[in-house]
Amino acid sequence: MRAIISVYDKSGIVEFAKFLEEKGVSIISTGSTYNLLKQNGIGATSVENYTGFEEILDGRVKTLQYKIHAGILADLSNPKHKEELSIHNIEPIDIVVVNLYPFEQVAMRSNNTNELIENIDIGGPTLIRAASKNYKRVLVVVDPKDYTRVMENFDNIDIDFRKKCALKAFALTSYYDSVIVEKFGYKGDTLNIGMKLKKSLRYGENPHQAANFYRVPLKKGLPNMVQLQGKEISFNNILDIDVAYRMMIESTYLNKPFMCTIIKHNTPCGVACADNPQDAYEKALFCDPISAFGGIVGINGSVDANLAKKLTERFYEVIVAFDFEKEALSILSKKKNLILAKVDKVDINSYKENKDIKSVVGGFVVQDSDYLDDFSYEIVTQSKPTQNQIEDLKFAWFVAKFAKSNAICFALNSQALAIGAGQTSRVDAVKCAAQKAKDLGINLEGSVLASDGFFPFRDNIDLAKSFGATAFVQPGGSIRDDEVIKACNEYNLPMIFTKKRHFRH
């Protein structure tokens, strides 16, 4: 048997090569891999000596040689192939051990085009694909973690084993190419998104659904989350944390010291801003303390001891923050199952580049990220909003953006008072929010109201006015905008149009 070994990541390769040598496998190797094997007493043959063709072009061409690839690709069940190998004095190659230049790692730290290009591996993927194509005869090993598995099964390696190794190898080259496409920003008719397993999850949205958590290359975000304590994180936890995380990132738009959001079933049930994290939390909780039970709390800053004490008074699944003070961690550690998740601050410009991908039967729909980074509006009523109302309308608009459509938010003093979300009728969203406020004894007098989509009829204004709303923000764009504006003018209430809708399905 004959093997070619050419690896950038050399972890475990000496031990693996020694094993192969002990099994009577002749080894061909390249460059630094060859030197390492020789230094450790392994009788390898250099590619140059094997092929009679020296490495050229600063190492760009070393294994790209017909003798190597004919040895890998030959189908020995085909008499013609065997004859041609004999004519050209070519020996079959039975094992290919290859891993690739670290393009992804380089791409994470550098935008230097020349450096990136030099870290695009050509010979490695070519060897891998050739061996994978001929998996019926050739074993391809691309992951140092698999060396032990190969050694344990070496005397019983069959076609199924080789096929699994080949498919893993094809997955590697596919992912590798997707990282290159992502880094250089290709936009065309094909969408190449490589994903790497972050972790397997207990189950999906429901116990009968299997689920995994993947990360995409070259992006900072939720896969970098550090779990500081608590039970194993679930699929639903991740979806809810994602909403909280997005609100934490986009809260820079609010220009407030602290923002707290409480998420339940992928939609906020309380949001507030304040000068310290404890007050922000207490104001957020005020909106809907019943729904907050078992929810996820997000803080766009550091959790301190005062907030930690308050958080231990109620049952939550997850606390997610940019940081946790040492004393806060000590306090929260008493809740053994409580998940504490520390997330990176993500630059808003990098955040904007994310794509929103949703699966449909047999495919995916992909859209640009929906984000808030300014508050542009037009006053469309005779009455003008006060500066305080503008601030509250801006805040309510932020909250409505993250609630499930149709979404309504009553707010006052940078605090959500009532949220109506996920309704099939917008007027029902208003009713839902107001009824919840009534049940909790929350007074909506003097509040402002935000709607994530346009008001289709004036009944929304009439109803919200009866509950105490004094100013409105909506995208506009309805064929009945004039009717809705007229209703506000009749009540002498201001309304502004943002001319931008924020549905969240």
Side-chain angles (χ1 to χ4, degrees):
M1 294 182 73
R2 190 168 285 97
I4 183 166
I5 302 178
S6 179
V7 293
Y8 182 89
D9 178 358
K10 295 176 176 56
S11 56
I13 195 59
V14 171
E15 293 77 9
F16 188 44
K18 283 181 178 178
F19 170 85
L20 294 177
E21 188 174 50
E22 289 168 1
K23 287 292 184 178
V25 178
S26 300
I27 295 173
I28 308 161
S29 193
T30 63
S32 60
T33 305
Y34 169 77
N35 293 333
L36 178 64
L37 298 184
K38 293 297 286 185
Q39 289 166 13
N40 284 275
I42 297 166
T45 300
S46 70
V47 166
E48 293 91 337
N49 287 338
Y50 181 74
T51 63
F53 189 88
E54 67 179 9
E55 177 183 311
I56 62 172
L57 304 182
D58 298 321
R60 287 190 175 195
V61 177
K62 47 193 173 188
T63 58
L64 296 170
Q65 210 272 348
Y66 79 94
K67 193 171 181 180
I68 296 289
H69 288 280
I72 295 171
L73 286 163
D75 177 2
L76 298 186
S77 66
N78 185 327
K80 184 172 180 290
H81 284 204
K82 292 180 72 173
E83 181 183 356
E84 289 177 348
L85 289 184
S86 178
I87 290 170
H88 295 284
N89 194 29
I90 298 172
E91 298 289 344
I93 295 173
D94 310 283
I95 302 172
V96 173
V97 184
V98 175
N99 55 60
L100 306 177
Y101 294 165
F103 181 86
E104 183 174 1
Q105 292 91 319
V106 173
M108 285 290 289
R109 62 170 174 76
S110 176
N111 292 316
N112 183 293
T113 301
N114 290 334
E115 185 180 12
L116 291 168
I117 287 171
E118 290 307 316
N119 278 278
I120 295 176
D121 204 321
I122 302 300
T126 307
L127 289 170
I128 289 170
R129 291 178 64 81
S132 300
K133 176 185 174 76
N134 206 23
Y135 73 87
K136 290 182 179 180
R137 180 180 65 82
V138 179
L139 174 67
V140 58
V141 186
V142 297
D143 186 349
K145 297 187 189 73
D146 290 336
Y147 296 162
T148 300
R149 187 166 67 106
V150 172
M151 290 188 285
E152 290 172 349
N153 293 278
F154 193 80
D155 294 326
N156 297 297
I157 288 175
D158 58 15
I159 191 169
D160 289 335
F161 188 95
R162 291 197 298 273
K163 184 177 181 180
K164 288 177 182 177
C165 290
L167 291 174
K168 181 171 184 175
F170 276 129
L172 170 67
T173 57
S174 174
Y175 177 80
Y176 194 82
D177 287 342
S178 75
V179 179
I180 296 169
V181 169
E182 174 70 23
K183 183 63 178 180
F184 286 102
Y186 170 76
K187 294 177 175 62
D189 293 337
T190 59
L191 180 63
N192 302 76
I193 300 178
M195 297 188 188
K196 189 167 286 187
L197 182 66
K198 173 69 176 179
K199 66 178 297 183
S200 294
L201 303 173
R202 290 201 309 272
Y203 50 78
E205 285 183 284
N206 300 290
H208 63 275
Q209 294 171 269
N212 293 311
F213 185 22
Y214 292 87
R215 66 170 180 82
V216 296
L218 312 183
K219 298 290 186 186
K220 289 184 177 180
L222 207 51
N224 295 339
M225 172 181 66
V226 177
Q227 185 175 341
L228 301 176
Q229 73 162 48
K231 63 185 177 181
E232 186 180 351
I233 205 161
S234 73
F235 182 94
N236 291 335
N237 289 157
I238 290 172
L239 293 183
D240 287 342
I241 291 170
D242 183 60
V243 180
Y245 192 22
R246 288 171 184 269
M247 296 184 77
M248 290 158 62
I249 294 167
E250 291 190 42
S251 66
T252 55
Y253 145 95
L254 296 171
N255 294 315
K256 300 290 185 180
F258 289 94
M259 185 277 306
C260 176
T261 181
I262 304 174
I263 305 297
K264 189 70 174 288
H265 295 308
N266 215 227
T267 201
C269 61
V271 187
C273 293
D275 291 332
N276 62 73
Q278 181 182 331
D279 287 349
Y281 162 70
E282 290 179 335
K283 289 174 68 177
L285 181 63
F286 176 81
C287 179
D288 191 351
I290 296 173
S291 295
F293 179 85
I296 287 178
V297 178
I299 294 286
N300 67 341
S302 180
V303 174
D304 60 17
N306 290 331
L307 175 56
K309 290 173 185 175
K310 284 290 180 182
L311 291 170
T312 58
E313 295 173 1
R314 301 178 63 87
F315 169 63
Y316 294 111
E317 284 274 341
V318 182
I319 311 300
V320 56
F322 291 136
D323 206 354
F324 292 82
E325 294 181 4
K326 187 174 181 179
E327 188 178 353
L329 288 173
S330 177
I331 295 167
L332 293 168
S333 68
K334 296 168 186 174
K335 295 259 188 177
K336 300 298 182 185
N337 287 329
L338 175 63
I339 296 168
L340 303 184
K342 182 179 176 181
V343 291
D344 292 333
K345 289 185 179 180
V346 176
D347 176 75
I348 190 69
N349 291 318
S350 172
Y351 172 73
K352 292 175 186 178
E353 295 171 1
N354 282 284
K355 294 291 184 183
D356 183 14
I357 303 173
K358 291 183 171 65
S359 66
V360 296
V361 177
F364 297 87
V365 288
V366 182
Q367 64 179 350
D368 292 339
S369 176
D370 182 24
Y371 57 86
L372 274 174
D373 59 358
D374 68 355
F375 187 54
S376 300
Y377 59 87
E378 175 189 0
I379 300 171
V380 295
T381 51
Q382 295 167 359
S383 177
K384 311 301 179 188
T386 66
Q387 188 56 45
N388 286 341
Q389 285 177 324
I390 290 291
E391 285 298 307
D392 282 336
L393 290 167
K394 179 179 179 179
F395 172 82
W397 184 239
F398 170 80
V399 176
K401 174 188 179 293
F402 288 98
K404 290 285 190 176
S405 300
N406 287 317
I408 291 291
C409 175
F410 289 87
L412 183 64
N413 298 326
S414 296
Q415 177 182 15
L417 299 180
I419 302 169
Q423 302 302 309
T424 52
S425 161
R426 192 159 299 277
V427 74
D428 281 348
V430 176
K431 291 176 181 176
C432 178
Q435 184 61 52
K436 188 168 287 191
K438 181 180 178 181
D439 292 345
L440 293 169
I442 296 173
N443 185 359
L444 299 180
E445 286 294 332
S447 66
V448 305
L449 183 143
S451 172
D452 67 341
F454 64 63
F455 291 125
F457 302 99
R458 67 167 289 161
D459 55 357
N460 293 277
I461 303 300
D462 296 328
L463 195 60
K465 162 65 168 63
S466 72
F467 295 133
T470 61
F472 302 87
V473 56
Q474 59 141 321
S478 167
I479 59 172
R480 295 184 178 83
D481 276 349
D482 288 344
E483 175 186 319
V484 175
I485 293 169
K486 181 180 178 182
C488 286
N489 285 334
E490 287 176 7
Y491 293 125
N492 196 32
L493 298 178
M495 181 165 62
I496 60 177
F497 283 3
T498 62
K499 300 185 178 178
K500 183 181 286 187
R501 190 181 71 188
H502 286 297
F503 277 174
R504 183 166 171 262
H505 282 64

